[in-house]
Amino acid sequence: MTRPTRSTSTNFVQNNNAAVSWIVYVLLIGLRLIFVLLPGYVHPDEFFQSGQEALFFSSTRATVAWEFESHNAIRSIVPPWFLTVLPLRFYAFVCHLVSPGDWSIDRLSGRELLLVPRLFVALLSIFTVDVCVWRMGRLKNQEREIKCTDANNGWEGLPTVPLEVLVLASSWPALVLLNRPFSNSLETMCLACLLQVIFSTGSKFSTCRCIIVGAICAAGFFSRITFASFAAPIVLLFVHQRQSHCRDLDSIQQRSSLGKYVHGFLRDSFLMALGFIVVSGLFIWADTLYYQEQHNEFVVSETAEDDELKHAATTKLFGRPIFITPLNFLAYNSNATNLSQHGLHPRYIHALVNMPMLFGPLAVLWYLQLFRMWFQCKSVKNEARQTPQSSHAWPMITSTCIGIVVSGLCVLSCAPHQEPRFLLPILIPLVVSVPCQKCTGRAAFMIWIIFNGVLLGFFGGLHQAGVVPSLLELNFVAKQPAAVVFYHTYMPPLFLTRSRSPENEKGACNAFLDDPVSQTEHNDFRGRCDLKSKEGLNEMPIIDLKGTHESHLLDTLNDLLQCDLRATGNNGIQTMDEFTTADNFVYVVAPWTTISHSSLGDNAGDNARENPTFCLPKIGFDCEKIRTYHPHITTEDFPIWEGSIRTF
């Protein structure tokens, strides 16, 4: 019987660490792909800025987000095309190879239009964000890198998954936001690509590398103009690397070294500018084609005054109008009046609310690290005054990541409109710069799991979670209603009502009514739907009442259901005669709290929850509960606790 040596025991532990880390990482990747099925509705921009509405329902003006209107033109069409149309075309191509037939994008169902882009974004985030954090984590912790060498264990030569990657893959922003086609997700991926190019171990200062840096900066800038705040420290690092490289190549004379530095700086700046200009030109060309075609399509019925307004978002180049969306975006967001329509927030919201909401313990550790570094730098300066020969240098990767977080946080905090997802690109430098190795205890592990589990469940599975399933269900209704009314929900994405079956294809017509009582607006809404019905589409009108008062819901129902009413002698309460037609009904999609705890249900009694058929006596409509989608939570109409989980 032989006793294992210390070396053999160490290798065995290292092999187990590698095996466990890979098993955990593969499980987290599987969860990220599975969670594309989660019904949580994080924000309307997930659908209305990702391209499904603008690119598939461009003939229905009410469904196109205002950012993609030609008189605004503040969003480039290339990012949503890349995140939506490209994967859908590839999906249709593969389906045609497997099963020949009509697999054009126009024939895909709403469920396919929802899940295919999500799956594509999830895979893209793995090959960009995860790979970036992996490489930077390895470079940061090269002295801790462990490789398995035990031939008897099946993990020979396999490195341990960096802890930074496991932290990233287990965070709720990666599991929810990075598998949805937000523009912020694409911005995060562009930042990851830029970091990989800067910290690549290949040819450090090749011509191709400089051009690629400029091209990535252009793609990120046209995805979101805020990308510049995250990219600035990285570009400065690139210049610093160039300076260090020049000093290493030449140490003959100070003037010669300075001349080489200036020459290299100008050359690299020119190459980066060349890549930026070329890619920007492609974006501008594509945007001009899209918005000019949109303008020509809908300008026929506009007046001369409106025609001038349509060109307000254009820039003249050699006498011809072009659309430069970042300039329009900057001009729009520079006006506080415009931002007030979306909500104004205190400047500290990003730092004190959104950072902890997105990153939780990571944000706390980063703030502590920032204060610790500030005090250390202050002590180093005091030592340098006493001992001029003393020096201190922070690791390049850590200092760069901290600079990215500080730059992005400070710039975004200057804007009065602040949403948590705007800080999503900070996830990469935050994970890399925070010393996760010092927080590997059981308590830290439980805090991290509980925090991300709660936020994952809320935003991924609970928040507005009934909207998407209800829209998908409209493809299978037996009878077509007079309309579908959404009340106190997020904006319904109409592409979800599409059916892949040509003979059962359903379009959607949306009316965003400021005043549902107005008969003129209601007639206009009807007219748009009738027009598309003549084109051969089976229309199901959808009315979005947003968060309007319940009186607007009652007035809208009264307009849609023109039934004969007769008054009874029972306290003046009206009851309804027989329907004039058997199909005279409307679907109302709303949180239960807006119906059961308002005047609509005050007289319905406590049996309304138990009995699926109850009455809206104030206007005499019979109501039947058709389907319940739960769980569904909206912070605007939070459920009321009545002592039972079943009724919550």
Side-chain angles (χ1 to χ4, degrees), residues 262-276:
V262 173
H263 177 268
F265 174 79
L266 293 177
R267 186 198 66 177
D268 292 345
S269 299
F270 172 77
L271 293 175
M272 286 188 289
L274 178 63
F276 186 91

Side-chain angles (χ1 to χ4, degrees), residues 9-19 146-149 158 160:
S9 177
T10 302
N11 288 338
F12 178 76
V13 173
Q14 292 174 357
N15 284 324
N16 284 343
N17 289 341
I146 299 174
K147 289 192 176 181
C148 305
T149 58
L158 189 64
T160 304

Side-chain angles (χ1 to χ4, degrees), residues 592 604-605 607-616 621-626:
W592 177 255
N607 295 328
R609 294 181 182 273
E610 305 296 337
N611 189 354
T613 302
F614 61 97
C615 183
L616 301 183
F621 290 146
D622 289 336
C623 295
E624 180 180 358
K625 184 169 63 176
I626 303 297

